């Protein structure tokens, strides 16, 4: 029996999966399936995982045009809905890619994702990165776009106005940000007519971003955590020698042992109990990840132990989005608390 078949045999009642309530009152499943194949998992494999994951109980899928698989996922969604799962039971996110920030491109790009996914509306549409800097898929870490720009708030707000228009048009139910920082988000909150419903950010036990996490929550924004288990399959370009792995941390290993579960499941439990929505990618272990959200919670002591192993280790540094040759990735993340000047 292959893993996909095994996964499918034992569904988890999706009514048992925890949910979160957004500022709008909408309910969103507290775990989603990531769909970025990290340049080595094919679109067909990801789409197959989406289809079987829905049969297993997933209702939330984190997509993006740049992942290059929305058409295949669209076919999977069609099959899912034909199987009897209603559109309104699903939560589908997509993202605007960096080369589509132009005022004439936002609505067209969203329409393209809708067409590829075979949907009439998205539950959530995110601005994938706050920079309009294009890089070709799979490019080297030293690659720079010749017309790369820093964060320019005025330009971001032009893009955001179009995101707001998408809500007015009924094409998307919520809009949100991704890969932001506190100072950038402060400006967006000041100027937005429709505030971001969620902020998608890297979050795992070795990168907990406590200050940013608190800021997001205090502003009524739901944190969605990417790379929740430390992205063991991430592309080579996203690896540096300093990177650490939460699933190899002795504290996580000990907790996993005492619960009789995989260290990845500990990361998922921690994420859900802390209050972020993890979106683990998986084509093999998605059932185990979903099951991690149901029952057998971590104790308060275990939660405190995990809070103490934060290493401030950002894995997705975003080097390809830098706008100057001699810059270090820290410039993208406003490390001193103010927006890095051009
Ligand atoms: N907004 C953004 O800019 C942004 C950036 C990065 C990622 N994302 C989103 O976040 C999602 C998740 O991030 P990610 O894929 O980088 O990292 P991740 O979810 O932390 O790690 C995925 C990897 O972990 C393995 N895995 C998953 N569950 C496992 C388990 N229970 N036991 C053992 N191995 C397990 C998967 O292998 P198998 O496939 O073999 O199970 C896969 O190789 C992406 O797919 C994407 O949707 C968004």
């Amino acid at each position: 029996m292959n893993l996909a078949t095994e996964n499918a045999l034992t569904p988890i009642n999706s009514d048992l999966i925890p949910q979160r309530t957004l500022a709008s009152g909408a309910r969103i499943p507290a775990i989603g399936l990531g769909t970025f194949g990290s340049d080595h998992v094919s679109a067909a494999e990801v789409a197959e995982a989406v289809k079987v994951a829905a049969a297993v109980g997933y209702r939330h899928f984190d997509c993006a045009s740049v992942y290059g698989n929305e058409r295949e996922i669209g076919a999977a969604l069609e099959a899912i809905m034909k199987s009897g799962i209603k559109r309104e039971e699903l939560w589908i996110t997509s993202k605007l890619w960096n080369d589509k920030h132009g005022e004439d491109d936002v609505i067209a790009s969203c329409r393209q994702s809708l067409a590829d996914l075979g949907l009439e509306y998205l539950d959530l549409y995110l601005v994938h990165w706050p920079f309009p800097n294009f890089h070709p898929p799979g490019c080297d870490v030293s690659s720079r776009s010749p017309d790369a720009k820093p964060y320019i708030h005025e330009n971001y707000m032009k893009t955001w106005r179009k995101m707001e228009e998408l809500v007015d048009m009924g094409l998307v139910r919520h809009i949100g940000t991704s890969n932001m920082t506190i100072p950038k988000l402060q400006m967006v909150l000041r100027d937005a007519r429709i505030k971001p419903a969620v902020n998608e950010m890297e979050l795992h036990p070795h990168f907990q971003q406590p200050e940013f996490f608190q800021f997001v929550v205090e502003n009524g924004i739901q944190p969605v955590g990417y790379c929740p288990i430390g992205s063991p399959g991430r592309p080579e370009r996203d690896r540096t020698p300093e990177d650490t792995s939460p699933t190899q941390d002795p504290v996580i290993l000990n907790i996993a042992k005492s619960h009789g579960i995989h260290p990845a499941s500990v990361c998922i439990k921690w994420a859900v109990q802390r209050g972020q929505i993890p979106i683990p990618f998986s084509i093999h272990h998605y059932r185990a990840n979903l099951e991690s959200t149901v029952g057998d919670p971590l104790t308060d002591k275990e939660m405190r132990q995990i809070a103490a192993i934060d290493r401030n280790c950002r894995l997705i540094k975003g080097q390809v989005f830098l706008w100057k040759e001699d810059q270090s990735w820290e410039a993208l993340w406003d490390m001193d608390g103010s927006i890095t000047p051009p």
Side-chain angles (χ1 to χ4, degrees):
M1 192 188 324
N2 66 30
L3 267 166
T5 319
E6 202 175 312
N7 268 319
L9 285 178
T10 43
I12 295 166
N13 181 352
S14 56
D15 293 342
L16 299 178
I17 311 304
Q19 302 217 338
R20 306 223 155 261
T21 305
L22 301 182
S24 67
R27 305 269 287 160
I28 173 172
I31 180 170
L33 185 74
T35 65
F36 174 42
S38 290
D39 303 347
H40 64 86
V41 182
S42 72
E45 288 173 292
V46 175
E48 180 61 18
V50 165
K51 200 160 65 178
V52 187
V56 163
Y58 277 86
R59 294 293 178 265
H60 171 181
F61 299 96
D62 180 79
C63 308
S65 57
V66 75
Y67 301 161
N69 53 21
E70 288 195 325
R71 205 175 291 183
E72 290 80 358
I73 291 175
L77 293 176
E78 190 184 353
I80 289 166
M81 288 188 269
K82 274 199 183 133
S83 78
I85 297 171
K86 297 191 191 76
R87 169 67 185 93
E88 52 276 22
E89 293 173 54
L90 297 170
W91 182 281
I92 312 292
T93 299
S94 183
K95 312 187 190 84
L96 178 77
W97 187 236
N98 305 359
D99 59 342
K100 301 291 182 194
H101 282 206
E103 283 174 284
D104 294 336
D105 294 331
V106 178
I107 292 172
S109 188
C110 180
R111 282 195 193 280
Q112 185 62 54
S113 282
L114 286 169
D116 289 345
L117 292 164
L119 301 174
E120 287 176 3
Y121 69 90
L122 291 169
D123 297 279
L124 176 64
Y125 198 45
L126 305 176
V127 181
H128 206 146
W129 286 82
F131 313 97
N133 304 346
F134 175 76
H135 71 98
C139 74
D140 180 70
V141 71
S142 60
S143 168
R144 300 281 177 272
S145 158
D147 48 5
K149 292 187 178 67
Y151 178 80
I152 300 170
H153 181 63
E154 195 191 336
N155 292 353
Y156 189 88
M157 287 314 296
K158 283 185 187 162
T159 308
W160 192 257
R161 296 283 172 241
K162 289 290 169 185
M163 298 287 284
E164 293 173 330
E165 211 177 310
L166 287 169
V167 178
D168 298 339
M169 293 166 77
L171 296 180
V172 316
R173 292 176 63 211
H174 301 88
I175 50 178
T177 50
S178 177
N179 296 305
M180 293 292 267
T181 60
I182 292 178
K184 291 185 184 105
L185 207 43
Q186 270 168 336
M187 302 275 281
V188 173
L189 285 168
R190 187 195 67 189
D191 294 338
R193 174 170 63 86
I194 301 178
K195 297 201 187 319
V198 318
N199 181 60
E200 194 163 305
M201 55 203 280
E202 182 177 329
L203 288 171
H204 47 79
H206 280 181
F207 194 58
Q208 303 188 16
Q209 304 208 62
E211 198 193 342
F212 192 20
F213 181 89
Q214 196 184 342
F215 174 85
V216 165
V217 171
E218 281 174 3
N219 280 284
I221 301 171
Q222 171 64 49
V224 171
Y226 71 68
C227 304
I229 62 171
S231 196
R234 68 190 179 283
E236 218 36 58
R237 66 172 183 274
D238 287 332
R239 294 175 190 270
T240 63
E242 312 80 64
D243 293 352
T244 60
S245 165
T247 48
Q248 286 167 15
D249 190 291
V251 168
I252 300 287
L253 291 170
N254 264 334
I255 296 173
K257 200 168 162 202
S258 68
H259 284 256
I261 55 177
H262 192 280
S265 293
V266 176
C267 296
I268 302 293
K269 284 179 185 292
W270 168 78
V272 173
Q273 286 180 231
R274 187 190 190 212
Q276 65 237 29
I277 299 176
I279 45 169
F281 173 86
S282 178
I283 57 166
H284 297 124
H285 305 90
Y286 46 85
R287 190 189 178 285
N289 292 341
L290 189 66
E291 192 173 27
S292 307
T293 69
V294 180
D296 186 27
L298 302 180
T299 63
D300 290 346
K301 184 176 168 204
E302 288 166 337
M303 288 298 286
R304 282 197 300 276
Q305 286 173 336
I306 298 176
I309 60 166
D310 189 7
R311 294 196 183 188
N312 195 23
C313 177
R314 188 187 288 280
L315 301 173
I316 306 301
K317 301 174 182 68
Q319 295 94 328
V320 289
F321 305 121
L322 290 166
W323 59 94
K324 285 184 192 164
E325 283 298 331
D326 55 348
Q327 268 175 321
S328 152
W329 60 267
E330 284 89 347
L332 297 170
W333 302 103
D334 306 334
M335 307 292 271
D336 70 356
S338 55
I339 296 176
T340 306

